[in-house]
Amino acid sequence: MKLLSIIVPCYNEEEVLPLFYDEIRKVMAQMQETYPELCFELLFIDDGSKDKTLEILRSMSLADKQVRYISFSRNFGKEAGMYAGLENSKGDFVVVMDADLQHPPAFLPQMYSYVRSGEYDCATTRRVSRKGESKLRSFFARTFYKLMNKISQTEIVDGAQDFRFMTRQMVDAILQMHEYNRFSKGIFSWVGFKTRYIEYENVERPAGTSSWSFWGLFRYSLEGIFAFSTAPLSFAVLVGVLICLISLVLLILFVVKAVIVPDADLRFLAALCILSLLSGLQLFSIGILGQYLSKTYMESKHRPIYLTRETEKTYRSRQGEGQ
Ligand code: UDP
Ligand code: MG
């Protein structure tokens, strides 16, 4: 038997939870028929909801033995919810999905078929359109992805989502990323493994409202930049070098003027030259400090040095399973 854990972070989702439950139950029954080897657990994470989410989860868990839940002491954010779900899931396969049906459960059988074959370790969806989103928001999102992919070694795919179907192996890899400031889009990509993207059109929420404000998203994107790039710390080096170059130009100007015009007043030029040289050097030194800081910062995350996908042992045992 193979256990599939379905992790659902919920924050104030009383309106959609019953809809989600009906929908996911249908898909689970359908999958059970096609794949008799599967059994399920539904793990809801109540992220300190202020509405009736917890009451709904309580009664669901009483009525349905496959339903588990973890309720946080306050709102810790979706990232914390996903981490708690991954840490507490027991499945051989794990899927993380939103409660608001924007991650359609109907994709699950297809996702399972990709991962089951062993060819892929992860199946996920990618939005190809941003329908139903304001122009300004789309513009900022696009700019963020462009910038992020320029300044970070970790590839962040535009339109990729947190709707992920993963093997236990990949989940264990993600759990090895202990960092407190979590940016899942980066983490999923950082751990590597073979990912299959399924493209689809954006779906709107059937009920309830998105808990992301524009500024919330903006802060989250900064989080992504600071968690996966140290480019901002190199900024001072760049400006410092630039200002030093300017002071060099001024110095040349100073010498040329002194030679060509013997009794010229050079005091202003000299002051400018010294000023720019000193401030350039200062910024440059701050930049060097920044470089050491960036190394220390990355070390402090204690990320794994490498992650294995396959060895001859796992390969042999998989071959054995296939026969
Ligand atoms: N969520 C959460 N904690 C939060 C905010 C959101 O667990 O602090 C959950 C929410 O219940 C939903 C998912 O994260 O299942 C995505 O949230 P939302 O639909 O508000 O985001 P959007 O789809 O607009 O990105
Ligand atoms: Mg949503």
Side-chain angles (χ1 to χ4, degrees):
M1 289 300 271
K2 296 277 182 209
L3 178 65
L4 169 61
S5 304
I6 300 169
I7 298 170
V8 191
C10 312
Y11 179 56
N12 297 343
E13 299 287 12
E14 61 178 6
E15 283 173 59
V16 282
L17 256 186
L19 299 175
F20 174 81
Y21 181 72
D22 287 345
E23 199 64 30
I24 196 85
R25 269 264 152 235
K26 265 186 234 154
V27 175
M28 278 158 69
Q30 183 197 333
M31 282 178 87
Q32 186 84 77
E33 247 173 56
T34 354
Y35 305 106
E37 81 270 16
L38 271 185
C39 51
F40 299 86
E41 74 173 353
L42 266 168
L43 177 53
F44 292 93
I45 315 292
D46 165 37
D47 186 9
S49 299
K50 294 182 183 72
D51 62 359
K52 296 215 168 54
T53 301
L54 181 59
E55 275 93 324
I56 296 174
L57 291 179
R58 279 180 187 147
S59 56
M60 259 158 50
S61 75
L62 281 182
D64 183 342
K65 282 280 153 301
Q66 286 176 325
V67 172
R68 295 170 57 202
Y69 70 84
I70 296 170
S71 181
F72 286 175
S73 58
R74 65 166 169 86
N75 180 247
F76 281 91
K78 186 186 172 189
E79 290 287 342
M82 289 197 286
Y83 186 78
L86 294 177
E87 200 173 37
N88 290 283
S89 66
K90 302 188 188 113
D92 304 289
F93 299 100
V94 176
V95 55
V96 182
M97 61 196 301
D98 286 2
D100 58 8
L101 292 170
Q102 282 190 303
H103 295 164
F107 278 121
L108 289 181
Q110 194 186 353
M111 288 172 142
Y112 180 57
S113 71
Y114 289 135
V115 175
R116 188 175 105 111
S117 66
E119 196 184 337
Y120 295 101
D121 307 286
C122 174
T124 182
T125 51
R126 203 172 83 88
R127 280 196 300 191
V128 284
S129 75
R130 291 185 169 271
K131 235 179 14 202
E133 212 180 60
S134 78
K135 282 225 166 67
L136 193 71
R137 197 160 157 166
S138 300
F139 168 76
F140 273 100
R142 292 236 163 76
T143 316
F144 165 72
Y145 284 109
K146 267 198 208 125
L147 178 73
M148 191 71 198
N149 284 318
K150 277 232 166 65
I151 63 175
S152 167
Q153 270 96 331
T154 311
E155 195 201 358
I156 316 278
V157 177
D158 189 358
Q161 293 172 310
D162 298 337
F163 184 15
R164 300 259 166 176
F165 195 116
M166 295 172 278
T167 58
R168 168 56 42 190
Q169 193 187 18
M170 181 159 170
V171 171
D172 287 342
I174 290 170
L175 289 174
Q176 280 190 58
M177 309 274 281
H178 296 292
E179 55 214 74
Y180 179 78
N181 291 300
R182 300 182 75 77
F183 181 70
S184 277
K185 283 192 169 85
I187 292 177
F188 287 135
S189 159
W190 194 93
V191 296
F193 295 97
K194 298 216 159 43
T195 301
R196 169 82 194 223
Y197 289 95
I198 301 169
E199 305 203 330
Y200 86 117
E201 296 271 326
N202 194 21
V203 185
E204 288 189 35
R205 253 177 189 273
T209 48
S210 166
S211 41
W212 287 102
S213 64
F214 183 78
W215 287 111
L217 271 180
F218 187 71
R219 273 203 307 273
Y220 186 60
S221 63
L222 286 185
E223 183 90 60
I225 289 175
F226 290 127
F228 280 90
S229 164
T230 50
L233 280 172
S234 310
F235 184 67
V237 175
L238 212 77
V239 179
V241 169
L242 209 74
I243 295 180
C244 282
L245 282 179
I246 292 176
S247 88
L248 194 74
V249 172
L250 288 173
L251 187 72
I252 294 170
L253 215 69
F254 178 85
V255 172
V256 170
K257 211 168 173 190
V259 171
I260 296 176
V261 196
D263 45 34
D265 184 2
L266 292 168
R267 281 173 301 180
F268 180 66
L269 207 54
L272 211 60
C273 194
I274 293 171
L275 195 76
S276 57
L277 182 70
L278 282 182
S279 52
L281 280 179
Q282 263 173 13
L283 262 179
F284 185 67
S285 322
I286 292 176
I288 290 179
L289 282 183
Q291 292 305 303
Y292 282 99
L293 182 67
S294 75
K295 299 279 176 237
T296 320
Y297 170 66
M298 281 302 172
E299 292 281 345
S300 71
K301 289 180 188 263
H302 293 293
R303 285 181 180 167
I305 303 201
Y306 67 90
L307 293 163
T308 310
R309 176 164 188 264
E310 185 178 303
T311 64
E312 85 290 344
K313 262 198 203 127
T314 58
Y315 178 66
R316 271 185 218 140
S317 77
R318 227 196 18 243
Q319 290 300 95
E321 244 173 55
Q323 279 156 20

